[in-house]
Amino acid sequence: MVTVKIDGKEVQVAPNTLILDAAKEAGVSIPTLCHDSRLNPFGACRVCLVEQVGNPKLQAACTTPVTDKMEIVTRSEKLSRVRKTAIELLLINHPLDCPVCDKGGECTLQDLTYEVGVTKVRFDAKPNDTPVDHTNPFIERDIDRCVLCGRCVRVCDEVVNIQAISFLNRGTDTIIGTSFEQPWNCEYCGQCISVCPVGSLNNRIYLFKNRPWNLDRVKSVCGLCSCGCTVDIDYEGNEVFRMKESPEEGINHGYMCAKGRFGFEFINSIKRESEAVVKAGGESKKVSFNEAVEVAVEKLKKVKDTAGADAIAVVVSPRLTNEEAFLAGKLAKDVLGTSNLFSTESNEVYPEATLEEVENSDCVTVLNIDVTESNPILGLAVRHAARKNTAPLAVFYPGYTALRRVSKNFVTGNPDEVRAAMESYAAAVAGASNDYSALAAKLTNAERPVVVFDPYNKADVKIAQDIKKACAKVKIVPAKSKNNSVGIVDMGFGAKCATEFAKGLESGKFKAVIVLGENLSARSVWTKSASKAAGLELLLVTDPFMSETAAMANVYIPVATFAEKSGSFTNLEGRVQSIEKAVDKGVNTDACVVSALAKGLGAQLPADVSAVRGMIEKEVPLYSGINWDGGVVSYPYVFAGEVAATDGKAKGKGKFFLYPASLRLHSGSFTRWSPDLAKVYGEPMLEIGVEDAKELGIKSNDRVKVKGEGFEGEFLVEIEKKVSKGCIALPEDFVATAGIFCNGKSLRADIVK
Amino acid sequence: MVLAIVFTLIKILIIVVCVLTGVAYMTYAERKVIGHMQVRLGPVHTGPMGLLQPLADGLKLMSKEDMTPDMVDKPVFYVAPFLGMVPGIAAFAVIPFAPNIVVADINVGVLYILALSSVGVYGIIMSGWASNSKYATLGSLRSSAQIISYETAMGLSILGPVLLAGSLNLKEITEAQRGLWFFIPQFVAFVIYSISAVAETNRAPFDLPEAETELVAGFHVEYSGMRFAMFFLGEYANMYVVSCMCAILFLGGYTGPLLPPLVWFLIKMLAFMFFFLWLRATLPRLRFDQLMNLGWKVLIPIALANLLITSIVVYAIRN
Amino acid sequence: MKNVFETIFFTEILQGLGITLSHMFKKPVTYRYPFEATPIQDRFRGIQYIKTHADGRTKCVGCYLCQKVCPSECIHIETDCGPNGERLIRKYELDLSRCIYCGYCEEVCPVDAIHMGWEWNTVASDRSGYVINMKTLSQNYKDNVEGNWKNKHLKKKLVEGVQQ
């Protein structure tokens, strides 16, 4: 520890601490512009200059480490003069269009200008008037406003590792730009927007829609993928205007992905339903919430009396909060007396490693999942480990993913080759000697190894289990897909296999089905049997939108999205985090629906979050005494039992291997309703490699037919150089593609022009 | 004989019409004069310069609903307004507007007018009593007390000119001032008369019976429409009467050089009327005890002293 | 002695009478509204107008500052991104029945768009006309410049004031 004196206050800090951090420790604030604590020191803006006693030169606080007995002065006449000049120099080329700039009101440069008191620039100010760049669908780039702090360039490089933007030219001609001034080739994560201290990079979804001072803010948790990012929901009245990072907060450290940052618009969608619909005799009628519940209760009673409780099934979506899932379970088990609780999730595998452990791991293996697309924040953690900690990263995937930039061991090929490679790798970890022994040795020799895999692919789960068995110190990360995929399993919706529900539908065992938020048609396990649900005595569907399943329902009740309710989600680490209600769109929550159904059936279930939490803590042992604001559930085991060996080989016949692609812009049902996401990616697109495309003579945006055993479909083509030769990929969560992947995760197919 | 009666009736009619018109335009003049004294305009809308305003007011009052409150003593309530108005108009019978314009040139003109002004108070008392309202009762009590008190002072001050002229006939009193207007030898009496006249007619600053702030409107608070208008007419007619009396007793009546006697008379009368309005625009209302103090402790003793001195002087000169 | 003199000769009352008499000959201060116009001072704050460029586009950029500064919260703005990525004013509404004519909006406007006009006559038989939008505000500017006031009496001098 070294002792430093900052503005007369003495503090003890670790050696090599930056002056800026030491000052924070001492409670002294130093103005900064280009500094970001998550990024490497840069020192571009010279706003944080401080005086060191005994040194005639001024030091940049954000780049200079402290030494013992250092004495720092942060406020003096000289410094305020220097800072003022630094800001004045920045303002030479900065257009003073704050009234039209979207950053106005939350702009660091604006704040600093006020702070140092610049009212007039002494220099010959000549702002440029370059046209604004709109080539990126989500990010507006106005290089005139740029102060060249480099935060966007650094975050894109150090954190996201895409390097989509960089400094171009030298000296006074320097600008932030893309390579060869081409359109942006990036992940649309918007990290650059979040770090930009001025209005140079703007969120186009929010562009000019409102002003920061008009917005109210709640800190909540993103309800899209299972990473569980802490976000700020900015709203005015009952409209959500933007979802943005909580700076440097949460398990995501203030990073977000394209879905979270730009995909929230479905909350405000005009396509959302506001009235319940009851269908009787082929006629649908808009009714009130109470009437719809009455009809549902009537039918539930009838089915229970005539066909018994076993003819009733409850299906929940992993979008529900823990509280709602728990209530649904209570309704099924205690009120209806049925044990038919279904969801797409299974209780085979539980989370183990936290994101922090992934970040700090010294060896990461990613098995057959495009983690940067499916779970972007988990992807950032994997990148952090591989890049900052230089941990060896092994990736197995049919096709190159964004991790290729940081992975020296990228195993690709067609899905069957990748599967064989993974099996060999697992065997090598267990001790066998093969091509992957060296790679496996890195894992077994590491202190904190981590394996990331796709828990929805049975064959992959088996491999992960084999690795875990062979090397117990390996921590596994099942990359679950939805915001509460883990939580609903904890609440009891994972015990029964999802296929059982499909069988029940097919055989006509179920007469009444309650579907809370799920879209049966878009889930590959159920999509084939979904049409059978239309003829049921009761199909009660709750969904914010009129989904394909909701359209079949004979009782439909519109419900709230995650921004309109309170509760908690359990993310892929098993971390329970509370969400806050931001807006009210005038619809009920699923909890209200369940509570009203229970009341109609003569039981009492509370809809209030704190009451339900009390019940959960009593009845779910895993959650007893849990901290609902970030507590991690400690699971007694990782794998529930021996995972059955499945043949992971591609099924059927055909020239191409077809595998499910992950999408950065969609994670299933809700984001399809976001207009700006739909503009960029509106329908499932067939990804095909460059060589194959050339061979077949197809171009981007052609429509081709994909044909395989038992399926057929026509899709738009997107030529992707990352896809391996002989492979094609389709996203899974669309109705059209769910019908394909119900045949298996890895298929063979032909392309017919 | 018949001709004389018809002739008299025509004279009465002319005078009544003139008096009523005069009263109506007095309200207009009052609003105009006070308006200008307060740097306002006064009525300007109805007709050129608002000259039709009194007509509009009259029409309004006539077309208004005539309300009779439930608990009033009806016969008395109905009679009171007439008793308030008629004495005021009747007094004009003896006023010599010019040497030959007078309805009834009687010997006891002064006495007649004093008597009528005393009758006028009955209208006020009756209305206050009959209205069955505390404001009206209080207003009428104040009014009668005030009128009775000041009538004494007024009567005593009138006696000065009467002594000098040696007659109760108004024409003779006027003629007696051919050489010198009585307000010079009888200055004290003139001042006392002026004050008492204002108090007698319940005008500001002695308008306690109608004190809006305390009594809403005083004795006529329960009256509306034409009945209310009658009280108003009575009040203004009384003002004319005391103005005429002042002109006759102290300012030489219709006497004066050059101009015709009627014009002289009107000038003197209207000057005194203007004095009424002027006072109203200038002075705040007195408290009731101040009013009584002034009447009994100041005016009456001074008037008595004035009377004594005048009598002695007149006796000395005559003998 | 002086007191007795004053009491006997009513000097104070006479003084008062003198004052009222002299006031009688002063010019009355009454304005016969609505038949006669009340004079409007140069710095009078009436119904707002929003300046336009020569080609008719509004000068307002939709920065929300007037909405923020308005103490009676009578300004409501909605903006959006236009087809060419420019700032587009979807809605600019000013509720005259709430406005207190304080002039803060004029003060805060960074682009010299909104101004307090001289027109003040908001009398109407229903409330709907009180919420005025950008179209009306721009028209108000035109009217103010051309002196095309509802109240014809507004002087020519004021027209020059707007044009400056």
Side-chain angles (χ1 to χ4, degrees), chain A residues 224-241:
Chain A
L224 295 172
C225 85
S226 63
C227 293
C229 301
T230 302
V231 295
D232 282 343
I233 299 177
D234 282 2
Y235 62 96
E236 189 190 3
N238 280 325
E239 192 170 349
V240 175
F241 275 90

Side-chain angles (χ1 to χ4, degrees), chain C residues 18-61:
Chain C
I19 288 171
T20 41
L21 194 65
S22 65
H23 271 70
M24 197 176 155
F25 302 103
K26 281 191 176 170
K27 193 178 177 291
V29 293
T30 313
Y31 295 106
R32 295 167 56 200
Y33 178 79
F35 304 104
E36 186 186 316
T38 51
I40 287 178
Q41 310 301 323
D42 283 0
R43 292 174 67 181
F44 179 79
R45 299 190 297 263
I47 299 172
Q48 290 86 342
Y49 61 84
I50 289 184
K51 285 190 174 179
T52 51
H53 291 288
D55 59 357
R57 280 179 307 118
T58 178
K59 267 194 170 181
C60 174
V61 294

Side-chain angles (χ1 to χ4, degrees), chain A residues 98-102 132 134 140 204-211 213-214 236 241, chain C residues 61-65 67-68 76 78-82 84-88 110-111:
Chain A
C98 303
V100 290
C101 176
D102 229 13
V132 180
H134 282 124
E140 184 201 59
R204 284 186 70 184
I205 307 296
Y206 166 71
L207 195 65
F208 304 145
K209 292 248 163 63
N210 213 325
R211 289 299 221 172
W213 56 78
N214 284 339
E236 189 190 3
F241 275 90
Chain C
V61 294
C63 70
Y64 287 79
L65 283 181
Q67 180 186 320
K68 176 68 185 169
H76 177 71
E78 272 176 32
T79 54
D80 203 345
C81 189
N84 306 317
E86 78 280 12
R87 203 178 182 99
L88 183 90
V111 290

